[in-house]
Amino acid sequence: MARPKIALIGAGQIGGTLAHLAALKELGDIVLFDIAEGTPEGKALDIAESGPSEGFDAALKGTQSYADIAGADVCIVTAGVPRKPGMSRDDLLGINLKVMKSVGEGIATHAPDAFVICITNPLDAMVWALREFSGLPQEKVCGMAGVLDSARFRHFLSLEFGVSMRDVTAFVLGGHGDTMVPLVRYSTVAGIPLPDLIDMGWTTQEKLDAIVQRTRDGGAEIVGLLKTGSAFYAPATSAIEMAEAYLKDQKRVLPCAAYVDGAYGLKGFYVGVPTVIGAGGVERIVDIRMNKDEQAMFDKSVDAVKGLVKACKEIDPSLA
Ligand code: A3D
């Protein structure tokens, strides 16, 4: 059986890391596409030359031609520009919307059966626009943010409790921005919810509030340190987890920016929710119960995304 084909649209910091991880994990053959001449070719060759030492079997190709992504099983989109210090994700909207148009058309023409994972910011609006431009089925187009935001939350919690990150589960929902919603009640250490851990004296409400805020600011913290771009190792790992869930039909329960129609009281809208990812793409939206406070935070986050989608429609009337 032929290996799966993974197309990476954008061969920058995240795109290159995605290619490296996909090769190390032998997820399939890899095509790196970018408009920057030489970058995808150079990264593809460099990673291929690590193959003999790592012992992986995967073909890598760099290209400026969409024809080379033909028949891809998975497309991961990072094309566009990242944040610089002082910029919000929303500042990227105008530039990256144009990029989503060309990427959406390229995928629709050459890889219409692919499972598409968007990473380009501002995430929730860009995944919506990419779906509109590509015309692919909604369940085959989603955005990576929740896995990363939850991983950041899990990391900070594991430091607070002095336990393995593997034993900390967490959910971060809503839009990928300042209004994201880390759900404390649904986050646990080996099944023990965080509020119970406060009662058990493992932490305090104040410390937990500070961790929630650090999670919300997680992207900005790294932008501030790097100064020249945004996070790329953990974002790439998070998207690979989603791609692997699809390629291996793992039915993983992962938070991602998915098309929600009916659940959460939403009508046909992309926002971060827990999903089940398997061979069908986003196979199910997990419609969890929220209390009043959680619902209010989620609604605020949804409103922020709605504002971005409205701005997209104003910039490109073909989306209206
Ligand atoms: P970067 O290293 O700049 O790579 C972007 C690549 O896109 C560059 O190599 C560009 O040449 C290429 N590009 C630009 N326009 C096009 C086009 N029309 N077609 C094909 N390629 C193009 O950025 P990065 O890899 O660090 O980040 C990529 C995106 O991910 C940015 O928008 C970030 O804001 C976003 N990001 C999202 C998250 C989430 O959690 C959602 C996290 C981190 C970064």
Side-chain angles (χ1 to χ4, degrees):
M1 202 194 298
R3 292 179 202 138
K5 181 168 173 176
I6 300 160
L8 307 173
I9 316 295
Q13 295 282 61
I14 302 178
T17 312
L18 285 167
H20 196 198
L21 288 171
L24 290 174
K25 287 172 170 272
E26 291 192 322
L27 291 186
D29 290 339
I30 298 150
V31 176
L32 279 145
F33 172 96
D34 203 294
I35 50 168
E37 220 165 289
T39 302
E41 290 87 344
K43 291 194 180 185
L45 183 58
D46 191 13
I47 294 168
E49 288 169 356
S50 74
S53 301
E54 286 291 350
F56 60 72
D57 290 308
L60 285 114
K61 183 181 173 72
T63 184
Q64 277 82 48
S65 167
Y66 271 110
D68 287 321
I69 74 162
D73 298 287
V74 171
C75 293
I76 308 181
V77 178
T78 58
V81 290
R83 282 197 280 174
K84 301 240 162 44
M87 285 174 95
S88 83
R89 294 177 179 92
D90 302 356
D91 293 335
L92 307 172
L93 190 107
I95 307 171
N96 287 349
L97 184 63
K98 283 202 196 90
V99 175
M100 289 307 102
K101 187 170 167 60
S102 61
V103 173
E105 288 165 1
I107 292 175
T109 307
H110 299 283
D113 297 323
F115 178 54
V116 179
I117 303 169
C118 180
I119 307 184
T120 301
N121 270 321
L123 192 271
D124 306 85
M126 290 304 101
V127 65
W128 169 81
L130 184 62
R131 209 305 302 170
E132 293 290 313
F133 288 131
S134 68
L136 264 62
Q138 279 97 355
E139 69 275 13
K140 298 293 281 295
V141 182
C142 64
M144 186 297 295
V147 175
L148 171 64
D149 296 328
S150 304
R152 286 179 173 150
F153 195 26
R154 290 169 66 189
H155 171 62
F156 300 146
L157 289 169
S158 80
L159 292 178
E160 167 65 5
F161 297 131
V163 299
S164 167
M165 288 188 252
R166 281 178 298 172
D167 294 324
V168 182
T169 62
F171 264 135
V172 178
L173 308 186
H176 179 62
D178 302 337
T179 59
M180 70 177 77
V181 187
L183 280 183
V184 167
R185 268 188 333 129
Y186 285 101
S187 302
T188 75
V189 171
I192 308 165
L194 296 185
D196 290 18
L197 289 162
I198 296 177
D199 293 344
M200 289 158 62
W202 277 43
T203 188
T204 62
Q205 187 63 51
E206 292 67 37
K207 283 186 177 167
L208 204 50
D209 290 346
I211 290 171
V212 164
Q213 194 52 44
R214 190 175 179 197
T215 302
R216 287 204 177 103
D217 297 337
E221 184 175 358
I222 292 185
V223 170
L225 290 165
L226 293 180
K227 294 180 186 71
T228 52
S230 52
F232 53 100
Y233 292 116
T237 306
S238 304
I240 289 290
E241 199 175 351
M242 293 166 66
E244 194 168 13
Y246 172 75
L247 289 167
K248 299 183 180 172
D249 193 21
Q250 290 171 332
K251 317 280 187 204
R252 292 286 313 278
V253 180
L254 298 171
C256 72
Y259 183 77
V260 187
D261 194 17
Y264 293 93
L266 295 172
K267 281 204 182 87
F269 196 70
Y270 269 97
V271 72
V273 291
T275 66
V276 176
I277 298 183
V282 175
E283 295 183 348
R284 198 195 303 176
I285 304 292
V286 184
D287 194 2
I288 57 172
R289 296 284 152 262
M290 287 191 267
N291 65 28
K292 254 172 107 187
D293 290 347
E294 291 158 351
Q295 188 70 49
M297 283 193 285
F298 185 76
D299 291 347
K300 191 173 161 209
S301 193
V302 167
D303 282 346
V305 178
K306 278 186 179 159
L308 291 175
V309 167
K310 190 164 165 260
C312 289
K313 289 178 180 171
E314 281 160 12
I315 294 169
D316 186 335
S318 77
L319 288 167

